[in-house]
Each structure stands twice: as C-alpha cells, then as structure tokens.
C-alpha cells in the first residue's frame, strides 16, 4: 500500500489538532477549577468564521480582520479555546479591582484570562512538537465568540492550524477591503 501525504494531510492535521486540544485541556488551571471550553472547526464552519470576520470590519474598522479572515481559509482547521466566566474569589486585584466584590460583572476574572493563556500555550507547544504551523488569532476568536461557537464563553481565542510547505501565517501582508486577492 502507498499512502501519499498529500492525500492524507487533512486527516493527519485533524488528528494532531485533537492532541492540541488534549494539551489545552490538561494545562494547569487556577485553583484547579476547569472553566475552559475547547472546540475544533473545519470545512464550512471555517468559511462561516471567515465571512463573519470580514463583516465585522464594517462595524469596527480593524482591517487586520481581513488579513486574518484570509488566513482562516488557508488553515486545515481552527481550534477555539475559551473561558466561561467564573469569579475565583481570591481578591488578588489582578483584574484592577481591590476585591472580587468590587469587580463589575462585565470585567473578567484575571484568573480566567490566565487559564485561557496557559491553555493556548499548551496547545501551541503541542503543535510545535508535532511540527504544525499555527497562529493565535484574537480576531477569529472574537468572531467565533459572536457566532456562539463556544456557547457562553466570554473570552475566546482561535488557533489556526496548517501543515504545508510554507507557513501561511508567517509572511502576512495587510489586506484592504477593496483589494481582496
């Protein structure tokens, strides 16, 4: 039997992405409380995510969303990592308020934010071990959050994943709305 890598690449990347999700799940959590949600999207959902990112530019004017929307379409898949909102009750003041009681509901608990960051780092470290190309995208995470891909998560980030001869997430050029290639 001969298996050509070009014919099995997508399945191989999805299997590796599942390992990345496991790395994110097993990453340390503040107070040992797991409030992280993780999902993988590919296919039509990548197109849906990309279109949402393009549409968001009209509302906020951040043109880098256009470049990132193109990157999403070059990815084999995207991993979403988000955090549910849960105040940890440590009164650590890392959120900018002296006590948890003073913190407004709209301000995330800093421990939640740190948990997302550690999970992202663990997933990307696994990707590096597996020699995958990745890019953490705030833009795609925000679009995924608005699409409700991770239900009620308040902080969502995306990791675009690729396995190609040239990393599509490295030499990125700005995109203009009327100059889409």
């Amino acid at each position: 039997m001969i298996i050509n890598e070009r014919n099995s690449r997508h399945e191989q990347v999805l299997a590796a992405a599942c390992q990345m999700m496991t790395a994110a799940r097993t990453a340390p959590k503040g107070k040992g409380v797991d409030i992280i949600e993780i999902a993988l999207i590919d296919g039509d959902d990548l197109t849906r995510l990309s279109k949402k990112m393009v549409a968001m530019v009209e509302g906020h004017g951040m043109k880098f969303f256009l470049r990132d929307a193109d990157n999403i379409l070059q990815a084999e898949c995207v991993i979403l990592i988000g955090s549910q909102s849960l105040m940890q009750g440590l009164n650590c003041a890392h959120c900018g308020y002296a006590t948890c009681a003073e913190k407004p509901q709209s301000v995330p608990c800093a421990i939640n934010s740190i948990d997302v960051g550690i999970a992202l780092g663990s997933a990307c470290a696994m990707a590096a071990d597996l020699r995958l190309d990745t890019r953490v995208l705030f833009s795609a995470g925000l679009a995924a959050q608005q699409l409700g891909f991770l239900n009620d998560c308040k902080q969502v980030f995306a990791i675009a994943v690729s396995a190609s001869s040239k990393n599509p997430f490295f030499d990125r050029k700005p995109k203009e709305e009327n100059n889409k290639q």
Side-chain angles (χ1 to χ4, degrees), residues 29-50:
K29 313 290 188 296
K31 289 180 64 179
V33 178
D34 189 355
I35 56 165
I36 299 296
E37 295 298 328
I38 308 162
L40 181 148
I41 62 171
D42 72 343
D44 292 340
D45 286 321
L46 287 181
T47 304
R48 189 171 154 215
L49 181 61
S50 178

Side-chain angles (χ1 to χ4, degrees), residues 8 10 18 27 30 34 36 58 67 73 80-81 141 167 175:
S8 66
H10 185 69
C18 287
D34 189 355
I36 299 296
E58 203 170 297
R67 176 201 60 210
L73 297 176
L80 303 173
I81 301 178
N167 183 341
K175 289 274 184 198

Side-chain angles (χ1 to χ4, degrees), residues 25 43 46 52 58 83 88 99 106 113 115 124 128 131 133 141 158-159 169 178 180:
R25 173 63 59 215
L46 287 181
K52 175 66 173 174
E58 203 170 297
S83 151
Q88 297 293 338
T99 66
S106 61
S113 302
D115 285 352
C124 289
R131 304 306 179 256
D133 297 324
I159 305 172
F169 316 127
N178 55 3
K180 295 270 295 180

Side-chain angles (χ1 to χ4, degrees), residues 81-160:
I81 301 178
S83 151
Q84 298 170 6
S85 183
L86 178 67
M87 190 167 23
Q88 297 293 338
L90 296 174
N91 293 323
C92 65
H94 289 314
C95 66
Y97 293 89
T99 66
C100 295
E102 293 175 43
K103 182 186 79 60
Q105 188 76 9
S106 61
V107 174
C109 174
I111 304 303
N112 296 178
S113 302
I114 292 166
D115 285 352
V116 170
I118 294 170
L120 286 165
S122 292
C124 289
M126 176 58 73
D129 290 346
L130 298 170
R131 304 306 179 256
L132 294 171
D133 297 324
T134 60
R135 184 76 176 214
V136 176
L137 299 170
F138 150 80
S139 56
L142 185 59
Q145 183 177 338
Q146 290 185 11
L147 287 168
F149 282 174
L150 287 184
N151 300 322
D152 62 347
C153 285
K154 303 299 181 208
Q155 301 175 71
V156 179
F157 290 85
I159 305 172

